[in-house]
Amino acid sequence: MRWKTDTYTGWGRVHSATGELARPERLSHLAAIAKDEPAPAIGQRRSYGDACLNDGGRAVETSRLDRVLSFDAETGLMEAEAGLRLGEIARLYAPKGWLPAVMPGTGFATVGGAIAMDVHGKNHHHAGSFGQHVTEITLLQGKKTLKITPKDEALFKATVGGLGQTGIIASATLQLQRCKGDLMMVTERRATDWDAFIALLDQSEATYTVGWIDATATGKDLGRGILEEGETGAGLVPAPKRSKSVPFNAPQAALSAPVVRTFNALYYSRVPKSGRTTVKPIQDFFFPLDRIHDWNRLYGKTGFHQFQCVVPLDQAPALREMMARIAKSGLASPLAVLKRMGPGRAGYLSFPMEGYTLAVDFPNRGRAEALIADLEKMTHEAGGRIYFAKDALSTPLHIDEMYPDLPLWQAEASKADPDGALKTDLVRRLKLRDAS
Amino acid sequence: MSETWIILGATSSIARCLVRDLAGEGAALILAGRDQADLDATAADCLARGASMATPVQFDVRDPATFGAILDLATGASGPICAAVFTGSMPDQEKIDADVALIDGVITDSFTGPARFLQELAPHLERKGEGTILGIGSVAGDRGRLGNYVYGSAKAGFATYLSGLRNRLGRSGVHVVTVKPGPVDTAMTWGLDGLPFMTTPDKAAAHMLKAARKGRNVVYTAPIWRIIMMVIRSVPEPIFKKMEI
């Protein structure tokens, strides 16, 4: 296998890594790498921090391993290579009445990455996490090719949400979910403040629910936002518009506090007081930002952070406190999401827990790092946890309390990869594989 | 009536993108190559994307005995028959200098093998009076260069063959397209330095299919290579022979 030296980043572009990359185009070549020169696998690098980086080492890109290996139109079982993007699955199968049971906020996420992060979507309160709909994983561990299923208790739980540390995921079988078509009926309504927002989330019975929160609103408007609820349907709408791309790094002023405040106020008032229902292509509902390629460049060349935490249901007041802190800082970007999660999770290190999750983007400048450190502390005190797919700044200090199953995961990871060949920058930074 | 496409060298990166596009149109695909596991995976992918048929067939461009099964399968189809030829090999020029016997393989893979296959296919297409052939040449065939002139000469031979075949088959309604790719971002070029104006395999595939539908004769991909090669071809030989490009 030929290796290419390159410098690459995660989606947030704060950390970068320089090292050798391989990009096999056949499963047999991937297997040869796993056998002779194992290295962590990476997909489309949509993790924000350093989960997809291996500075000074090697990594294997799966982007060219993106074929559908089988699909059963009766049962909705689909096997795909690890590099297939979830948006592509939706594009191929929604018109036939099937969707991935769980879709994260970007369609660029790959099957392998979605497993390794046990991602969640706007239907987490009903459907649980991605890994709960995976029926089989083909895992390459050195010379061995393993087919693992949920019956392989420990290894399966260590692989789903396992940050790629139990082997290279070559392919996986997903149980797709029935949908009514490739359209989404979307109902948007205003939440006038924090309490109203939490009440709307608690009452929502829609299949897909997500809240956009105005992370700059203070005072009586604190926590205001828009609740979006979606149901799939069939019908006819114009095809999704061609995606645009951001051709250059934006100047810092593009996301300065007054600009964001103004943008958010307009975005909020765009939805009438009485609310509204519209019909759009499913891509526009699930992956609104994918229409703008490389939108991370809007944050300029210094990049950005996304802070995401989840806290238990009874800790909503603690989350409100965090929201107040964020609003006061004036550091937030327009991208901020509030959602209620169910208990569903499939792995030892899966992020979800029953409660509320908040995700906010911050341009990487000035006081953002200190603010995020405070938010992490508040998350820990509230009995919540932070998300490895987003984190770029945390320290090992509280990880074991946020993730109580960490020792179980560590045991499987060291069995599967005793030499630590699959470690990534995230794993080293948070000392995830150093048993305490 | 859906088209039946023979893909010679179906494990190549560009071929894989082309068959996806064809599958989306509902074409029947005969996927010919050597790596059975990889062909099986591509066939499954094509079926999942809407191909009306996707059959992997063992095919070795150096072994004409493997041609017959493919021809039998294709000529049984009721609709138009089309073919895309991706076979070729490009060992380092130094390796060839060290072992001149390698020349025969390069010429077979890139020129005489596919030419022989197309020569057997041609009468069937003439009889049908329709169909398309996509022959993949290379910008390397436009002028012999220090770095890869054996490969280049094989591709030049193939381009000349395609030109003649176009002349012949055009009379009976069959269209032949000569495709000349510049560098394409594939496993073959991964990690090689200094390759300018690179295109991606999905863009190259979409481009050649569009060119075929429009009835173009010779197409460069990326398109800028038409201009670059025009310049390179126009350099007088006394100067060119001293250049290292």
Side-chain angles (χ1 to χ4, degrees), chain B residues 2 7 80 114 230:
Chain B
S2 78
I7 312 291
M230 210 183 284

Side-chain angles (χ1 to χ4, degrees), chain B residues 4-238:
Chain B
T4 297
W5 278 82
I6 302 166
I7 312 291
L8 297 188
T11 54
S12 102
S13 313
I14 307 175
R16 254 162 72 167
C17 296
L18 180 74
V19 296
R20 281 189 167 178
D21 291 345
L22 293 169
E25 297 176 0
L29 299 164
I30 298 165
L31 305 168
R34 278 180 300 173
D35 183 340
Q36 188 66 40
D38 193 66
L39 292 173
D40 288 345
T42 297
D45 189 51
C46 289
L47 289 174
R49 288 165 189 273
S52 55
M53 179 194 96
T55 310
V57 187
Q58 271 298 315
F59 162 75
D60 184 347
V61 70
R62 298 186 188 185
D63 179 6
T66 62
F67 295 2
I70 298 166
L71 290 164
D72 289 347
L73 202 55
T75 50
S78 47
I81 302 169
C82 305
V85 178
F86 290 92
T87 61
S89 61
M90 186 174 69
D92 290 341
Q93 186 66 45
E94 292 114 70
K95 280 194 189 140
I96 298 174
D97 295 343
D99 178 6
V100 295
L102 287 176
I103 289 183
D104 296 347
V106 174
I107 304 286
T108 310
D109 295 343
S110 306
F111 175 21
T112 55
R116 187 164 169 172
F117 181 90
L118 292 176
Q119 202 67 13
E120 286 189 44
L121 178 66
H124 297 287
L125 301 191
E126 275 175 327
R127 231 181 347 266
K128 289 229 175 205
E130 57 182 345
T132 302
I133 291 171
L134 277 175
I136 313 302
S138 168
V139 293
D142 277 13
R143 195 146 194 190
R145 293 190 303 114
L146 190 63
N148 61 2
Y149 60 89
V150 170
Y151 171 75
S153 60
K155 286 293 191 182
F158 190 48
T160 305
Y161 170 80
L162 290 170
S163 161
L165 191 65
R166 176 161 46 243
N167 205 316
R168 167 183 166 186
L169 294 180
R171 290 154 212 272
S172 39
V174 179
H175 184 54
V176 178
V177 188
T178 308
V179 183
K180 296 186 178 183
V184 184
D185 182 17
T186 65
M188 205 163 105
T189 54
W190 180 255
L192 298 183
D193 293 329
L195 296 174
F197 304 110
M198 185 112 96
T199 187
T200 59
D202 53 333
K203 277 190 192 147
H207 185 193
M208 63 182 69
L209 192 56
K210 197 170 153 198
R213 304 278 188 239
K214 280 183 165 172
R216 301 268 305 275
N217 298 313
V218 179
V219 55
Y220 287 78
T221 185
I224 187 155
W225 281 94
R226 179 181 293 276
I227 296 158
I228 297 171
M229 293 320 294
M230 210 183 284
V231 173
I232 290 179
R233 275 197 312 270
S234 68
V235 177
E237 197 66 19

